[in-house]
Each structure stands twice: as C-alpha cells, then as structure tokens.
C-alpha cells in the first residue's frame, strides 16, 4: 500500500531554473497541442526526490529529523570541497509498458522527466550525500526494502545511489498516458541548466503551503549549516 506521508527532496525552485522550465513548457505548447498544458506539473514544486518515507506519527518524524542531524558532519565534509550544482538536461519517460530490454514505451508514457546528468563531477559528490542519507536511515530502521525501490547499491563504489535521478515535468492525467515520441524527438536534448543544491528537505506529501510548495517539516540548510524545525 502507498502510505508514504513524507519525502526527502532537493528543491529545484530557484527563479532562473524555473524560468528555463517555463521556456521549455512554452516551446512544447507552441509546437504541440495546448491540451497538453494540463499534463505539466506545477514548476513551483519542482524537486529531486531522494527517499519516500512513511512517518505517520510525530515520534517517527522526530526520528527522521534526528537521522539527518547525525550526518551533518559528513554532509559538511562533502561540501567543504565547494558547492554542488547539478546539471539538468535531456528528456526521457517512464511507462507501464517496457520491452525485454527494459526500455519504456514512449507512445504510452505515464511520466515525462528531465534527466540529472549522472556523469558530472558534482553529481558524483552528490551521490556521497545520498549514500550518507540512505545508510543512516537504514541504520536507524526508518526505511526498509520497500523504500529502496528507487535506490541502487553500486558494487564498484560501495555506495547507495539513485536509480533514475530526474525531475518530473509532465504526467498522464485521469488514467490516460502521453504519447511522448514527438516531444522527446523534438526536445530530447533540451538543456535546463544547472542548479546549486541549497536545501535538503523533509517535506509533507500531498499538502501545499502558502507558497504552493510542500510543507517542510525540517530543512537541512547545507550552506551554511542552520536547522529549522
């Protein structure tokens, strides 16, 4: 059952980055049908999800906050080499239909996303943060096997990392899919730019605050180190 109440995420909501997202949206709506507008997500909530969490009680929420606090020194050590800025470029999709090689059917996409460049040096440093978070949350029994469905263990680096680091841009609505073939053919190499990681949030799922973003129950402000609960 999907009983996730919170998620750990990296906001991608800074004005210059959202401006690039809106440029992309305008290009899509000019080249294709305006009816696609309903498929776009709200870019004021754009984020990279690290982990989904089930925290139905205040006790469990506090435990998750404490887990992030425990790895503060590790995160600061990673950032001591300089800020981390992730590159977002190119499109792909997720579909419920896949071929025998695991390739998703673009003609029946349930989600179109922008890819995070996983070969960039900054992303490799970001993976160290992901590994620290996942390891601590496993050690503290906050997550289990189910929550690791979007995580993979790299046997070469001996670290946990995201399987498909991405930002969701468009979703199928009312149980209908999107034909993403022409969209990806035309805009598959779109460059959304680079955004610096500033926050690591524990956010409430399915709720929105006065700024139309997910309510943040805890923020790890990476630069500088400040906590607000």
């Amino acid at each position: 059952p999907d009983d996730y109440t919170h998620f750990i995420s990296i906001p991608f909501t800074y004005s210059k980055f959202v401006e690039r997202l809106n440029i992309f949206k305008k290009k899509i709506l000019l080249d294709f049908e305006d009816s696609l507008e309903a498929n776009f997500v709200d870019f004021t909530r754009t984020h990279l999800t690290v982990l989904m969490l089930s925290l139905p009680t205040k006790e469990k929420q506090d435990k998750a906050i404490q887990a992030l606090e425990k790895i503060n020194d590790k995160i600061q050590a990673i950032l001591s080499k300089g800020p981390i800025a992730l590159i977002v470029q190119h499109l792909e999709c997720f579909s419920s239909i896949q071929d025998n090689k695991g390739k998703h059917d673009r003609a029946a996409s349930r989600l179109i996303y922008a890819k995070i460049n996983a070969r960039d040096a900054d992303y490799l440093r970001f993976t160290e943060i992901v590994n620290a978070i996942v390891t601590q949350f496993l050690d503290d029994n906050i997550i289990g096997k189910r929550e690791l469905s979007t995580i993979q263990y790299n046997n070469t680096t001996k670290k946990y990392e995201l399987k498909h680091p991405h930002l969701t841009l468009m979703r199928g609505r009312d149980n209908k899919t999107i034909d993403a073939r022409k969209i990806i053919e035309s805009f598959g190499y779109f460059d959304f730019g680079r955004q610096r990681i500033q926050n690591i949030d524990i956010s409430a799922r399915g709720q929105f605050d006065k700024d139309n973003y997910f309510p943040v129950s805890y923020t790890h402000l990476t630069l500088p180190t400040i906590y607000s609960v």
Side-chain angles (χ1 to χ4, degrees), residues 5-9 11 44-45 47 61 201-219 228-229:
T5 60
H6 292 73
F7 56 98
I8 297 179
S9 68
T44 63
R45 303 173 195 155
H47 62 277
Q61 292 171 28
D201 293 342
I202 297 179
S203 298
R205 188 182 181 209
Q207 304 172 42
F208 308 106
D209 62 16
K210 62 181 177 60
D211 296 318
N212 207 30
Y213 194 70
F214 304 96
V216 176
S217 52
Y218 175 82
T219 297
S228 63
V229 179

Side-chain angles (χ1 to χ4, degrees), residues 81-143:
K81 300 172 184 176
I84 294 176
L86 300 182
I87 297 172
V88 184
Q89 55 187 189
H90 305 169
L91 301 180
E92 199 40 84
C93 71
F94 289 133
S95 171
S96 299
I97 305 170
Q98 301 175 39
D99 63 20
N100 56 9
K101 294 183 180 179
K103 186 175 180 180
H104 291 258
D105 183 1
R106 292 178 175 177
S109 304
R110 57 183 175 80
L111 185 152
I112 298 174
Y113 63 85
K115 297 194 286 186
I116 307 292
N117 187 331
R119 296 184 178 183
D120 181 65
D122 275 15
Y123 181 81
L124 298 179
R125 292 173 55 221
F126 170 68
T127 293
E128 295 179 36
I129 293 178
V130 172
N131 180 68
I133 293 171
V134 174
T135 300
Q136 190 63 57
F137 275 64
L138 283 170
D139 289 348
D140 289 354
N141 295 313
I142 299 169
I143 61 172

Side-chain angles (χ1 to χ4, degrees), residues 1-111:
D2 184 354
D3 59 354
Y4 295 123
T5 60
H6 292 73
F7 56 98
I8 297 179
S9 68
I10 311 294
F12 274 71
T13 54
Y14 300 111
S15 58
K16 287 186 178 179
F17 188 80
V18 173
E19 185 179 322
R20 288 292 295 164
L21 293 174
N22 283 317
I23 289 172
F24 166 76
K25 179 179 178 179
K26 288 177 182 177
K27 286 179 178 291
I28 293 290
L29 295 180
L30 280 173
D31 285 19
F32 297 93
E33 301 173 21
D34 284 342
S35 58
L36 285 175
E37 184 161 9
N39 296 107
F40 281 93
V41 302
D42 188 334
F43 291 148
T44 63
R45 303 173 195 155
T46 306
H47 62 277
L48 170 61
T49 300
V50 177
L51 276 176
M52 298 299 297
L53 302 171
S54 180
L55 308 172
T57 65
K58 187 177 186 303
E59 180 182 1
K60 290 190 175 182
Q61 292 171 28
D62 289 345
K63 191 174 182 181
I65 290 170
Q66 291 164 11
L68 276 189
E69 289 178 334
K70 287 178 185 178
I71 59 173
N72 174 61
D73 289 346
K74 290 181 181 178
I75 292 176
Q76 293 306 317
I78 295 166
L79 291 168
S80 67
K81 300 172 184 176
I84 294 176
L86 300 182
I87 297 172
V88 184
Q89 55 187 189
H90 305 169
L91 301 180
E92 199 40 84
C93 71
F94 289 133
S95 171
S96 299
I97 305 170
Q98 301 175 39
D99 63 20
N100 56 9
K101 294 183 180 179
K103 186 175 180 180
H104 291 258
D105 183 1
R106 292 178 175 177
S109 304
R110 57 183 175 80
L111 185 152

